[in-house]
């Protein structure tokens, strides 16, 4: 029997004992490799010639391997728990905040920011060299014209392409009044426009703003066609005064400014009327709602 292997000498039982010893040694050397092998064997129904016990061990090893794989993904269970609890994961909140912040930098708001930047630039150009140099006045007119033209587009773009933001709601009217107020004050300071004209226009704008806040709890006063015509006429008239015009153009600008003043007064009185009606309606509706609730 010399030279005959022990597995052959022991028969089938010897071979099984030898295989079991080899498997134990392999598991001691590389536990991860045995777990993967056992999982693969359990999926195939066990290795050829292996008994039910081997297949059962393979299934247990596969289960343990899957559990270990699950444990290698940190934070995944926490994210799932947050979703189950109805809470937004931290990453989603950060992403949403980034989107909201980026939405401020849209084309409509950029045009509004441009108008705000043009206000000090316009004043500097208007008052350069004493304020009477035709070249500097022409540059000041260009800045004023750009500001007025962008005013026509930023609101339209915001409403058309759903770019309305809280920043735009606040900054847009400020930019409108800032550029017009700066132009009127500069013209009056230089003696080109009577102060009472500047007072009427700026007083009307301030009064309408206060009226809007006065009735805001009852509703919003919509912009009328007269108000838009007033804005256009004011822009043309002030632009003509910014330029160093002479002759019949200087006479024409006086009539345009007179029309702007008339529209300013008429539309201002219309806003007062709308504010009073809106407030009365709001008070009546609240009173009716209280009476209905008490009944």
């Amino acid at each position: 029997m010399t030279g005959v292997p022990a597995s052959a000498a022991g028969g089938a039982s010897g071979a099984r004992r030898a295989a079991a010893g080899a498997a134990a040694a392999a598991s001691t050397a590389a536990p991860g490799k045995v777990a993967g092998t056992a999982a693969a064997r359990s999926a195939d129904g066990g290795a050829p010639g292996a008994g039910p016990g081997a297949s059962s061990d393979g299934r247990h090893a596969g289960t343990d391997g899957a559990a270990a794989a699950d444990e290698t993904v940190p934070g995944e269970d926490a994210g799932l728990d947050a979703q189950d609890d109805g809470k937004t994961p931290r990453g989603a909140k950060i992403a949403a905040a980034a989107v909201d912040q980026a939405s401020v930098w849209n084309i409509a708001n950029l045009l509004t920011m441009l108008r705000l930047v043009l206000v000090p630039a316009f004043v500097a150009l208007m008052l350069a060299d004493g304020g009477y140099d035709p070249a500097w006045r022409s540059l000041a007119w260009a800045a004023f014209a750009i500001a007025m033209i962008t005013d026509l587009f930023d609101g339209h773009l915001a409403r058309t392409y759903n770019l309305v933001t809280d920043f735009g709601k606040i900054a847009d009217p400020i930019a409108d009044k800032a550029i017009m107020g700066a132009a009127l004050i500069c013209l009056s300071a230089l003696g080109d426009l009577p102060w009472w004209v500047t007072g009427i226009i700026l007083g009307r704008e301030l009064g309408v703003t206060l009226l809007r806040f006065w009735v805001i709890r009852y509703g919003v006063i919509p912009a009328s066609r007269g108000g838009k015509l007033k804005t256009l006429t004011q822009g043309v008239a002030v632009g003509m005064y910014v330029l160093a015009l002479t002759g019949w153009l200087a006479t024409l600008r006086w009539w345009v400014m007179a029309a702007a003043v008339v529209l300013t007064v008429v539309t201002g009185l219309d806003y007062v009327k709308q504010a009073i009606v809106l407030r009365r309606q709001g008070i009546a509706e609240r009173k009716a709602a209280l009476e209905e609730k008490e009944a």
Side-chain angles (χ1 to χ4, degrees), residues 103 106-108 153-165:
S103 65
N106 58 61
I107 183 62
F153 289 102
D154 59 355
H156 175 72
L157 290 173
R159 292 186 297 269
T160 302
Y161 297 101
N162 195 24
L163 301 176
V164 179
T165 61

Side-chain angles (χ1 to χ4, degrees), residues 29 59 66 77 87 101 103 143 155 166 181 186 189 200 212 217-218 228 231 240 245 260 284 286:
R59 285 193 297 270
D77 292 339
K87 299 178 180 179
Q101 184 67 22
S103 65
D166 291 337
C186 286
I200 289 177
R212 290 181 182 275
R217 68 178 67 180
Y218 306 109
K228 296 179 181 179
T231 301
M240 294 180 71
L245 299 178
R286 286 192 175 188

Side-chain angles (χ1 to χ4, degrees), residues 51-261:
S55 176
S56 176
D57 292 340
R59 285 193 297 270
H60 288 302
T63 305
D64 295 340
D70 290 340
E71 293 175 359
T72 59
V73 185
E76 182 177 357
D77 292 339
L80 294 175
D81 293 340
Q83 294 178 1
D84 294 338
D85 295 339
K87 299 178 180 179
T88 304
R90 183 180 178 184
K93 292 181 178 179
I94 295 175
V99 171
D100 292 340
Q101 184 67 22
S103 65
V104 175
W105 300 95
N106 58 61
I107 183 62
N109 287 344
L110 289 176
L111 291 176
T112 301
M113 295 176 193
L114 175 62
R115 294 211 313 280
L116 290 172
V117 172
L118 284 174
V119 173
F122 167 80
V123 173
L125 294 171
M126 189 71 180
L127 301 180
D129 287 344
Y132 298 103
D133 189 302
W136 288 111
R137 294 283 286 259
S138 297
L139 293 175
W141 176 87
F144 180 80
I146 293 173
M148 298 304 295
I149 291 173
T150 55
D151 181 33
L152 299 176
F153 289 102
D154 59 355
H156 175 72
L157 290 173
R159 292 186 297 269
T160 302
Y161 297 101
N162 195 24
L163 301 176
V164 179
T165 61
D166 291 337
F167 171 81
K169 293 177 183 178
I170 297 174
D172 183 68
I174 292 176
D176 297 342
K177 294 174 176 56
I179 189 66
M180 183 59 70
L184 290 170
I185 292 174
C186 286
L187 289 172
S188 295
L190 293 173
D192 293 340
L193 189 68
W195 277 105
W196 64 267
V197 175
T198 298
I200 289 177
I201 295 177
L202 295 184
R204 184 265 188 195
E205 298 300 328
L206 178 60
V208 168
T209 301
L210 294 177
L211 280 175
R212 290 181 182 275
F213 282 109
W214 183 50
V215 299
I216 194 171
R217 68 178 67 180
Y218 306 109
V220 178
I221 303 176
S224 62
R225 292 183 179 180
K228 296 179 181 179
L229 180 60
K230 178 269 308 178
T231 301
L232 178 61
T233 307
Q234 282 183 359
V236 173
V238 172
M240 294 180 71
Y241 268 87
V242 170
L243 288 172
L245 299 178
T246 58
W248 67 273
L249 289 176
T251 304
L252 177 63
R253 71 182 182 182
W254 187 92
W255 288 104
V256 176
M257 181 60 74
V261 171

